[in-house]
Amino acid sequence: MSSNPQYLSGNEIRNIFLDFFAQRDHQILPSASLVPEDPTVLLTIAGMLPFKPIFLGQRTPEFKRATTSQKCIRTNDIENVGRTKRHHTFFEMLGNFSFGDYFKEQAIAWGWEISTQVFGFSPKNLVVSVFEDDDEAFGIWRDQIGVPVARIKRLGEDDNFWVSGPTGPCGPCSEIYYDFHPERGDENIDLEDDSRFIEFYNLVFMQYNRDASGNLTPLQNKNIDTGMGLDRMAQILQKVPNNYETDLIFPIIQTAAQIAGIDYHKSDEKTKTSLKVIGDHVRSVVHMIADEIRASNVGRGYVLRRLIRRVVRHGRLIGISDEFTTQVAETAIALSESAYPNVRQREAAIKAELQREESNFLRTLDRGEKLLEEIINRISPIQDEQYRPSSSPEPNISSLPEPKVSGLPEPNISSLPEPKVSGLPKQNISGLDAFTLYDTYGFPLELTQEIAAENELDVDVEGFNAEMQKQVERAKAAHETIDLTVQGSLDKLAEHIQVTEFLGYTQPAATAKVEAILVEGVSQEEAEAGTEVQIVLDKTPFYAESGGQIGDRGYISGDGIVVRVEDVKKESDFFVHFGRIERGTLRVGDNITAQIDPACRRRAQANHTATHLLQAALKKIVDDGISQAGSLVSFDRLRFDFNCPRALTAEEVQQIEEQVNTWIAEAHAAKVEVLPLAEAKARGAVAMFGEKYGEEVRVIDFPSVSMELCGGTHVSNTAEIGVFKIISEAGVASGVRRIEAVSGPAILDYLDLRDKIVKDLSDRFKVKPEELPDRITSLQSELRTSQKELETLKVQLAIAKSDSLLQTAETVGDYKIIVAQLEDVDPESLKTAAERLLQKIGNGAVVLGSVPEAGKVSIVAAFSSEVNKKGLQAGKFVGAIAKICGGGGGGRPNLAQAGGRDASKLPEALRQAQSELKSALG
């Protein structure tokens, strides 16, 4: 490879590293999960962790040599993420490992070779470190590699001695640093100067066993454990100022910046820091959820939740007010899927988890920040500057110790270190204020602490814990969906308007008074036709979104006034009607008539009751321990998420559907009661997911079928549902399944759509509907046959084209070479042609290129064994040539294939191939 390689993408760096060691008899192993087998750590924190049992002698290795690209997560220095050039929570560690095979001499030689000959680093740009007592490694670097003594630094045990714990295998390290400023000379080299040096490759020589007394004895089998940071290599090779601006992260940052409507390069440092945090953390959460970690308040789930919340808050700091995490996650998935296919396979689960966590957090964030601002201004008004949370040092979730055994307790958020800042003497935010933020607004204590630190304040954590203990039963963390700008105005109006009385269980229409009108979240006395409004009434028949059921639709009308209501949401005790004034002028104090759309209500009622029957059928047919994990009840369908460790069989799905329809046909009457919570539970009522209950609860009971606590609207008799149809059953997260179904009037819409599709297909294929399956099967068979015939013809055509190249074979010394371009030949056929040509010319080399389709280049190299003996390997050769076309690749020494994107560069690449072959073989 050239000593000055062209731009290498992160994916190319990864592939080059793995290929380098694969060619040296290392087995390429896939990345282990971020959920480690080791019970002493929460997450996979190092490339060697999956091999720890081997290093400890607990497991016999399948291979003597291995190489990996291991995804890792560390949160012990999370406060530095985005503030330094290369601190991350998520990173990839490239590694080569020897299990009792080669040792220092070979590891050092290969480390130097891949650094200088493969990645093209000049020796002038490299400095190495060794353990202060490791004379052997020092001698290898000096005498065999030829590194000047001035550029070999001896470091102490803290920096250059690896241990697996207080006892066990351990050994010295040797690290390779990249020097960005070799012109500063070799005197007084300080490897702590990260403006000049970056450590990118660490070689661990595991050669001792340490006993309980600290004594070291040589190991019988010495091991090698290395780690090359992919992000750091990308920074160096892509010549960018920090890890965040490499192609591994920067596209995520650009997506976030685009959503915020800002330019990263023109932003101030605070904004850049927030964008970097988003870029880093989104990678982490995507891979964590892909590895089946779910957000929670315990262990690794707690880490995931904190990372998601940091992403959301930093999005707010750069001006993103709406939900956005799924958009940046899509970019992260696209960047990672080639190396880690499970991120695309788990895309739905990733986005669902992010949407759920972001939505829940956003519901509380605005309200908590506003109240905290008032508290801070009351305690210590900030002069000459409005309160801004943009300079926040993020909460240190590193207080979750990495070494943890199973059965993790809920993290004690009070263990977070108190913020330490210089300047004015600190005052306290009282424990009561902090608890009110948490209890009433769901505002995390960690967030209160970090915003307090921005304003040089402390939080009385002891007082907070005391309030928590006294009032634990009063936890009222908000969970309703509400426009947060509306809530701000409602807070101000709360003392002056009545709470909404809900009449909708028994009345489809009601007379009411307009208590408040909001336009874009701002309170108004009146609003004219054409205006989008949010209306609060003193009483209403409209059901507000809750318990998975969406809000009612309908109209508000009065003297010359018509308002179309599209949605209703509930905040505290106020029902907020979202709509548009179609006629007249609406004023606060107007007496109006509120009328729901009865057709929409009937659809929602049918789907909601069908959801209850569905849960009962799941418990009866699949497992009585099944519990709800989420739901959606809309006018056209229902969705039910439930905890279940396996997929349902087709027979079970059919039985469930039949059971629900049987209960519908049996016409079970609903019995609705309001009961004390304890009594309802004693009777066996099932609680709905995500709901919070007071002392008295509403119980929906279809005797002998289903009994649940529910505030939703339901049919009075199951016969009103009509019919129930399951349309899909699938997994959405680890241990969570989802059933989507339709019922009642929505069935007609579903059947109409299916009927149109069947009629269209029948017309196209000119067969009866019942003949469609056989016709499609026949077409599929014909298509497979045609594809096979086409592939055969492509190969025959490529061979025919290639045979004409035999006369162009050029003799170079004792070898023959053919370098040519074949038009419109696919990669597989090109490979067959190259192998055939090499067979015919015997001792030599064949390099063929083609452009099988627009924007795609294919190059194949086939070398005889004699050419290999000259030091040429097809994999390395074709990979280097393909870079000219903006691509890369590799393979075996005798046959390899590569690709590229720039077809205009193919002639140049082939000329380069011909020149290099002549030079090497001549």
Side-chain angles (χ1 to χ4, degrees), residues 343-409:
V343 297
R344 181 62 73 186
Q345 295 163 4
R346 296 265 298 159
E347 178 183 3
I350 292 168
K351 291 182 176 178
E353 187 79 353
L354 284 172
Q355 194 279 329
R356 180 167 52 248
E357 285 294 308
E358 181 178 22
S359 178
N360 288 342
F361 188 46
L362 278 176
R363 289 169 190 164
T364 67
L365 194 55
D366 254 4
R367 287 168 285 172
E369 283 185 332
K370 289 174 182 175
L371 182 56
L372 181 54
E373 177 184 353
E374 295 174 5
I375 294 169
I376 289 172
N377 288 336
R378 185 179 73 236
I379 296 173
S380 178
I382 300 173
Q383 297 179 358
D384 302 324
E385 183 178 4
Q386 185 178 358
Y387 164 71
R388 291 179 294 116
S390 57
S391 60
S392 106
E394 290 294 332
N396 183 5
I397 67 174
S398 62
S399 60
L400 276 174
E402 296 284 1
K404 266 294 190 180
V405 295
S406 57
L408 290 162

Side-chain angles (χ1 to χ4, degrees), residues 382-691:
I382 300 173
Q383 297 179 358
D384 302 324
E385 183 178 4
Q386 185 178 358
Y387 164 71
R388 291 179 294 116
S390 57
S391 60
S392 106
E394 290 294 332
N396 183 5
I397 67 174
S398 62
S399 60
L400 276 174
E402 296 284 1
K404 266 294 190 180
V405 295
S406 57
L408 290 162
E410 181 167 341
N412 181 2
I413 56 178
S414 65
S415 65
L416 289 166
E418 294 190 358
K420 292 185 170 76
V421 295
S422 59
L424 297 172
K426 293 187 178 182
Q427 301 181 54
N428 277 354
I429 291 177
S430 72
L432 178 58
D433 281 340
F435 182 77
T436 300
L437 283 164
Y438 171 82
D439 183 57
T440 306
Y441 296 94
F443 206 66
L445 175 63
E446 306 100 302
L447 204 49
T448 301
Q449 288 179 297
E450 71 175 276
I451 295 176
E454 296 168 18
N455 296 274
E456 299 194 356
L457 297 171
D458 276 335
V459 177
D460 179 9
V461 177
E462 289 185 5
F464 173 91
N465 289 334
E467 294 294 333
M468 175 74 82
Q469 186 65 32
K470 286 189 300 180
Q471 305 183 51
V472 66
E473 297 300 326
R474 294 177 53 207
K476 300 176 182 177
H479 67 279
E480 301 90 346
T481 301
I482 189 69
D483 185 309
L484 295 177
T485 59
V486 172
Q487 174 59 35
S489 294
L490 287 179
D491 286 341
K492 297 174 183 176
L493 293 169
E495 296 180 4
H496 309 290
I497 63 177
Q498 293 187 46
V499 297
T500 311
E501 180 185 359
F502 177 58
L503 307 173
Y505 290 137
T506 57
Q507 296 179 219
T511 56
K513 185 176 77 171
V514 177
E515 293 282 347
I517 301 171
L518 293 90
V519 178
E520 296 182 352
V522 178
S523 177
Q524 305 287 345
E525 286 299 311
E526 62 180 42
E528 298 178 346
T531 306
E532 300 285 343
V533 292
Q534 297 90 46
I535 303 167
V536 179
L537 306 175
D538 63 341
K539 49 193 171 187
T540 183
F542 284 84
Y543 181 82
E545 179 181 321
S546 181
Q549 180 178 332
I550 66 173
D552 276 328
R553 294 176 183 171
Y555 288 91
I556 291 173
S557 58
D559 187 11
I561 302 166
V562 177
V563 181
R564 180 190 294 271
V565 177
E566 296 291 344
D567 196 8
V568 183
K569 298 180 186 294
K570 185 180 179 184
E571 178 58 31
S572 301
D573 293 317
F574 300 107
F575 284 56
V576 183
H577 304 71
F578 291 74
R580 179 184 179 86
I581 300 178
E582 295 190 340
R583 188 167 66 244
T585 298
L586 184 70
R587 296 177 176 84
V588 173
D590 281 351
N591 292 313
I592 53 85
T593 298
Q595 168 73 57
I596 66 170
D597 183 327
C600 287
R601 169 67 74 84
R602 282 194 296 272
R603 285 170 170 256
Q605 287 179 161
N607 281 333
H608 204 154
T609 301
T611 302
H612 285 213
L613 301 184
L614 171 60
Q615 178 165 216
L618 281 163
K619 287 177 173 289
K620 178 180 179 180
I621 293 167
V622 181
D623 185 349
D624 187 55
I626 279 178
S627 61
Q628 182 179 338
S631 71
L632 170 69
V633 176
S634 65
F635 305 128
D636 60 344
R637 65 190 174 98
L638 65 92
R639 185 183 72 213
F640 186 75
D641 295 348
F642 56 98
N643 296 304
C644 185
R646 62 172 179 84
L648 305 189
T649 65
E651 292 77 14
E652 286 173 329
V653 172
Q654 183 177 353
Q655 289 173 24
I656 291 165
E657 186 178 288
E658 290 175 351
Q659 178 63 76
V660 172
N661 281 308
T662 296
W663 284 332
I664 291 171
E666 289 173 349
H668 293 273
K671 182 180 179 181
V672 181
E673 293 182 277
V674 176
L675 299 172
L677 178 59
E679 181 181 346
K681 288 183 176 180
R683 291 190 188 182
V686 176
M688 296 291 287
F689 173 81
E691 285 294 298

Side-chain angles (χ1 to χ4, degrees), residues 143-163:
D143 302 330
Q144 297 185 34
I145 305 301
V147 178
V149 171
R151 298 184 76 80
I152 308 174
K153 310 304 293 182
R154 292 182 184 266
L155 298 178
E157 185 169 343
D158 288 345
D159 295 303
N160 276 58
F161 197 90
W162 181 88
V163 295

Side-chain angles (χ1 to χ4, degrees), residues 17-36:
F17 181 93
L18 296 175
D19 185 60
F20 176 88
F21 285 101
Q23 292 174 16
R24 287 154 181 79
D25 301 322
H26 289 64
Q27 179 68 33
I28 299 178
L29 299 177
S31 172
S33 169
L34 287 170
V35 180

